[in-house]
Amino acid sequence: MPTFFERRQLVTPGDLLAEGQYIAGENTYKEDDKIYASRIGVVEYQDKKVNVVALRAFYVPRVGDTVIGTIVEVGFNGWMVDINSPYLALLRASDVLSRPFKPQKNDLSEVLDAGDLVIAKIIAYDRAHNPQLTVSEPGLGKITRGQVVKVTPTKIPRVIGRKGSMVSMIKQETGCHIILGHNGIILITGKSLENEQLAIMAIRKIEEESHTTGLTDRIVQMIKKEKEKGKQKEEDKNESET
Amino acid sequence: MSQKLEKLIDKKGLRLDGRKPDELRPIKIEVGALSNADGSAYIQQGKNKILAAVYGPKELHPKHLALPDRMVLRCRYHMAPFSVQERKSPAPSRREIELSKVIRESLEPSIFIEYYPRTSIDLFIEVLQADGGTRCASITAASLALADAGIPMRDLVAACAAGKVDGTIVLDLMDTEDKVGTADVPVALMPNLNAITLLQMDGILTLEEFEKAVNLALEGCRKIYTMQKEALKAKYIAVKEVEE
């Protein structure tokens, strides 16, 4: 039962990854006991399972995921939400409004209008129906402040890091509050614009270099460097004022 | 051309551009050439210059065209007015409409279209400069654009033509050879699965000649396949080397 690549090697669609008693994991497929890659990515062998961590992919809804979406349409009894996936998601009015409502009387665009951003959770999805969202849990609902960043959805685990090491580091270093949507949209709210900018820079760097090793250390260094630059600027400013 | 102006193969057995009969034109491939597309690729094969862009998968509009059990691949092959010697009308010609269909059908088997029902992928192929064998170069580039867009695929599709010129079977015909020569056999292949997704023939060949031409074209496809893979990886390897 041979494997044909080393761990963490770059593979392209159609590459033969393993032959024999293996299980096809993410971004792979099996044909006659042979496992092939179906996306460009980095290969991982876990016991009998073969996975490819994709470098390019789009978001496919999954029940239980937290996502950040944009309202694109206000309907009679709900909203259509763009969740950065091939399918639009449905957010029902009865889920948002706790009181009973009548479509004839209530104007839904007063509650949420097109262009508004929401944090929501997927409660239902299958092949035949578009995903359905809910906001009736703590932490979910309309976004009122902060900035959003878009990254490739498959890179969200990299932004989180091992046991949350990467994201907690960024939170600590920049003092920003960070919410990760599984659909690749990240909300950053900080005390100042500079801090938010710094966190965005760090996330952009992670996205670009997600397939390299020793990334956390490099990000720490980058943030420290940028902080120093910021301080320097402030001091220069103070000096020129006095 | 009613009369043959020149010999297509000289005494040494070399072709008009100095290639041997089984030699490909120089190929340059770049993945991710367009920033606004979900996936894109650019290919130069000899004097051919082709851009391919992929958008999607996304919800299909108009909705009644959506299929309940699979995604829809829409493909547009288009030649720029300045891509050939005589100005070509920008309106889609009979030939372009046919090539759009041929390219679509040669790429569809490589995609897992049943994974994402009710969606569509739009594929745009723009020929900026044409010099024979554009359908093959288009397939090669389009397949890379699909992979760049992160669409799950069975394999990359590589395409290459073979044909008969001055009584010799040759690989990768250019424009003059295509027009003056006796036959042209474009082939598209998924090399790892050893599956042919496109096989056409234009002209007259004997059974033996046809077999020889197909085998030559398959060999060409495999050579192009290695270049495709390198081009796809090159985008990421560059970042890795700088940072480590």
Side-chain angles (χ1 to χ4, degrees):
Chain A
M1 291 193 296
T3 54
F4 297 96
F5 284 90
E6 275 172 49
R7 230 185 120 255
R8 296 203 59 78
Q9 218 179 336
L10 205 55
V11 294
T12 54
D15 278 342
L16 182 59
L17 302 177
E19 202 173 345
Q21 300 290 314
Y22 285 95
I23 302 162
E26 274 174 48
N27 302 316
T28 60
Y29 68 97
K30 197 170 184 177
E31 216 153 84
D32 306 332
D33 266 5
K34 287 175 179 162
I35 294 187
Y36 300 92
S38 67
R39 279 197 174 113
I40 176 161
V42 179
V43 68
E44 294 275 4
Y45 296 101
Q46 281 175 350
D47 299 326
K48 296 268 114 189
K49 204 172 179 188
V50 185
N51 277 322
V52 169
V53 180
L55 289 172
R56 298 295 297 259
F58 43 88
Y59 176 65
V60 179
R62 239 186 10 207
V63 174
D65 278 1
T66 307
V67 295
I68 296 174
T70 319
I71 309 273
V72 287
E73 205 180 304
V74 185
F76 285 113
N77 40 33
W79 297 267
M80 295 308 283
V81 188
D82 176 12
I83 53 166
N84 195 26
S85 99
Y87 306 100
L88 285 178
L90 179 71
L91 178 61
R92 290 165 78 114
S94 56
D95 185 278
V96 180
L97 306 163
S98 45
R99 58 195 151 82
F101 86 105
K102 283 197 181 114
Q104 306 93 302
K105 276 187 189 167
N106 304 63
D107 186 9
L108 286 183
S109 62
E110 277 171 15
V111 185
L112 287 168
D113 204 356
D116 284 354
L117 291 164
V118 285
I119 306 172
K121 204 170 191 179
I122 295 173
I123 44 168
Y125 166 68
D126 60 54
R127 274 172 69 89
H129 301 97
N130 279 8
Q132 208 183 103
L133 302 175
T134 179
V135 291
S136 60
E137 264 175 56
L140 306 180
K142 189 173 166 182
I143 297 171
T144 47
R145 55 189 290 263
Q147 296 190 49
V148 286
V149 198
K150 236 184 193 178
V151 299
T152 312
T154 48
K155 287 175 183 168
I156 288 291
R158 197 72 169 101
V159 177
I160 295 170
R162 194 160 289 149
K163 283 180 191 158
S165 61
M166 184 80 85
V167 71
S168 58
M169 183 274 292
I170 297 175
K171 275 181 190 169
Q172 207 174 20
E173 291 291 328
T174 63
C176 289
H177 192 61
I178 298 171
I179 296 169
L180 301 155
H182 285 101
N183 59 342
I185 297 177
I186 302 170
L187 174 71
I188 299 163
T189 37
K191 286 196 186 85
S192 70
L193 198 64
E194 285 78 31
N195 285 347
E196 285 180 359
Q197 227 75 46
L198 201 56
I200 291 171
M201 256 176 79
I203 287 166
R204 285 259 171 273
K205 196 173 164 75
I206 296 168
E207 189 190 13
E208 253 166 53
E209 298 165 17
S210 63
H211 56 294
T212 61
T213 50
L215 190 56
T216 316
D217 295 336
R218 281 208 304 281
I219 299 290
V220 173
Q221 277 172 10
M222 191 203 80
I223 292 177
K224 286 203 170 132
K225 223 176 169 181
E226 289 296 322
K227 264 187 176 170
E228 245 157 62
K229 257 195 230 163
K231 266 185 201 161
Q232 203 88 46
K233 258 186 208 163
E234 233 163 74
E235 276 169 20
D236 290 348
K237 219 179 180 181
N238 289 345
E239 266 174 36
S240 60
E241 273 171 17
T242 52
Chain B
M1 260 184 239
S2 55
Q3 71 208 88
K4 283 191 183 170
L5 296 171
E6 51 204 321
K7 286 288 253 180
L8 288 169
I9 293 182
D10 67 10
K11 284 170 208 147
K12 284 184 208 156
L14 294 178
R15 289 147 78 181
L16 286 176
D17 50 0
R19 280 186 290 155
K20 291 186 210 97
D22 61 347
E23 202 177 327
L24 288 168
R25 285 176 283 188
I27 294 177
K28 200 192 112 192
I29 308 174
E30 194 191 325
V31 175
L34 303 170
S35 55
N36 280 344
D38 292 321
S40 61
Y42 171 70
I43 185 168
Q44 274 186 27
Q45 185 168 2
K47 284 181 196 156
N48 282 328
K49 290 179 182 167
I50 298 165
L51 259 176
V54 168
Y55 297 84
K58 55 190 177 185
E59 285 222 338
L60 181 56
H61 289 287
K63 262 187 175 154
H64 67 88
L65 292 177
L67 299 173
D69 59 338
R70 61 187 201 89
M71 67 169 130
V72 176
L73 177 63
R74 291 190 290 191
C75 173
R76 188 183 93 132
Y77 166 96
H78 182 248
M79 288 176 95
F82 50 80
S83 64
V84 275
Q85 285 290 322
E86 195 87 357
R87 179 183 182 275
K88 190 211 143 281
S89 156
S93 64
R94 206 188 104 100
R95 178 178 166 275
E96 283 171 289
I97 294 166
E98 182 190 319
L99 281 190
S100 301
K101 173 190 171 282
V102 163
I103 291 168
R104 190 188 76 228
E105 287 179 352
S106 66
L107 290 170
E108 245 172 10
S110 77
I111 308 172
F112 287 100
I113 44 175
E114 65 279 11
Y115 277 18
Y116 307 105
R118 298 177 287 122
T119 61
S120 73
I121 300 174
D122 285 337
L123 170 61
F124 297 95
I125 296 160
E126 194 69 26
V127 179
L128 304 176
Q129 189 170 295
D131 188 42
T134 52
R135 84 188 62 189
C136 292
S138 298
I139 291 169
T140 306
S143 180
L144 279 174
L146 287 167
D148 185 42
I151 290 155
M153 295 165 83
R154 288 189 176 83
D155 199 354
L156 294 172
V157 185
C160 186
K164 186 179 165 191
V165 168
D166 274 1
T168 324
I169 302 293
V170 295
L171 184 66
D172 195 10
L173 288 87
M174 52 190 250
D175 196 41
T176 336
E177 290 172 330
D178 190 13
K179 287 199 175 104
V180 186
T182 19
D184 177 23
V185 184
V187 177
L189 177 75
M190 293 196 276
N192 262 340
L193 307 179
N194 215 13
I196 291 174
T197 62
L198 167 79
L199 178 58
Q200 292 183 305
M201 186 172 90
D202 177 19
I204 301 163
L205 288 177
T206 64
L207 210 56
E208 291 80 49
E209 283 171 336
F210 174 72
E211 209 172 309
K212 206 177 156 196
V214 169
N215 284 328
L216 193 62
L218 290 179
E219 217 168 283
C221 289
R222 291 204 176 90
K223 278 182 201 153
I224 290 174
Y225 183 63
T226 53
M227 286 184 245
Q228 266 182 314
K229 272 164 69 163
E230 264 167 43
L232 194 53
K233 284 178 185 172
K235 197 174 151 188
Y236 299 98
I237 287 172
V239 178
K240 200 167 178 168
E241 274 169 2
V242 168
E243 291 305 327
E244 281 181 3

